Every structure is written in structure tokens, then in C-alpha cells.
Amino acid sequence: MRNNLKTKVINGNEFIIETDDAGNEFIPARSRIETYKKKNPKHSIATTVVIGEFGDKLLAHAEARITDENGKFLGNGNCSRSYQEYQESFTAVAETEAIQRAIALQGYGLTIGIASGEAMRDASALASAGATETLKQKINGGQ
């Protein structure tokens, strides 16, 4: 649930900050992308999305590559999302998250974290639903 939207200056860049119900601050992907593009209008962000099956899941894996105005590689970000989690928007979600991760690794909003608010809300929802315990059991071989 979104609440308490505000702006915050981090390392000289202004971001919209979202605070979740637990009081954790996150930068929505849109805010990070808009801030980066305003500051670096000549930089390019190119994405590649590959869709494939992994076990019983249909996944979209996206990579975002940032280059400067001369084509010099500056960094990249990756993200995978499943159709089972996001339905028809799974490719767009993977692509957006890869872009914002690439931008975060350029130092934009990094003090708050790499993952966007959207990704953190998804992780919190999974943890609340008991997914963390299920994951631990899988890692420990069902113990």
C-alpha cells in the first residue's frame, strides 16, 4: 500500500520517496528513471528482453544497458519476472526493474537501495504470505 509520498534530495538529486506501512523508504522506479533522464538527457538506455521457460515457470529476463552520448558503456542492470506473478505485464515489469537497477548502480538513489519500491512491496507481500519460510525449507532440502 502506498502512502506518505514526499521528495528527498540524495547526493544532489531529487527523488520522490515512498514510505510503506512498515515505515521503510523506497524510490519508485519511475522517480529514479525520471531523475536520471533529467540529469543525463544524452545518455541512452537500451533494453533486451528474452522470454523462456525455467522449470514450470514462464520468465521474462531483461537487461538494460546505459551508454553515454558517445556510445561508451556505463553500466547495466538485470531482472527476471514470471508470468505467474505478473500475468500480461511480466515483460514490462522485468524491463522497468532492469532499467531502474542500472540507474541505481550509477549512483542514483543508491543510499536507499537498488530495488524499487514496487519490488520491495512484492517481497514484503511474499514474506507476509509465508514465502520466506517456504524458501528456507527448499534451500535446506525440505527440512
Side-chain angles (χ1 to χ4, degrees):
M1 180 173 170
R2 293 180 180 201
N3 57 35
N4 299 327
L5 293 177
K6 62 182 179 181
T7 60
K8 189 174 197 177
V9 176
I10 302 169
N11 295 330
N13 298 300
E14 186 175 65
F15 297 94
I16 293 172
I17 303 295
E18 180 180 320
T19 305
D20 67 13
D21 292 334
N24 300 307
E25 291 186 336
F26 305 104
I27 301 173
R30 179 178 176 179
S31 177
R32 197 182 312 251
I33 293 166
E34 286 177 355
T35 299
Y36 184 82
K37 288 306 283 179
K38 281 180 191 174
K39 198 100 175 203
N40 302 285
K42 294 183 178 182
H43 289 187
S44 295
I45 302 172
T47 59
T48 303
V49 179
V50 178
I51 299 172
E53 292 182 21
F54 186 77
D56 62 346
K57 292 191 179 221
L58 182 61
L59 295 178
H61 179 80
E63 178 186 24
R65 295 177 52 85
I66 299 176
T67 55
D68 69 10
E69 59 273 17
N70 299 313
K72 179 183 174 189
F73 174 76
L74 299 175
N76 69 328
N78 291 275
C79 183
S80 295
R81 292 292 182 250
S82 75
Y83 176 82
Q84 289 78 354
E85 292 175 288
Y86 293 94
Q87 302 299 307
E88 288 80 20
S89 66
F90 78 118
T91 56
V93 172
E95 186 174 38
T96 301
E97 287 292 321
I99 291 168
Q100 72 87 28
R101 287 173 188 224
I103 291 170
L105 292 171
Q106 295 297 304
Y108 285 79
L110 195 55
T111 59
I112 287 187
I114 294 173
S116 69
E118 292 88 343
M120 295 308 296
R121 273 196 309 279
D122 292 344
S124 292
L126 286 172
S128 296
T132 303
E133 196 55 41
T134 302
L135 182 58
K136 285 180 188 175
Q137 288 175 353
K138 285 184 179 181
I139 291 170
N140 293 324
Q143 299 173 359

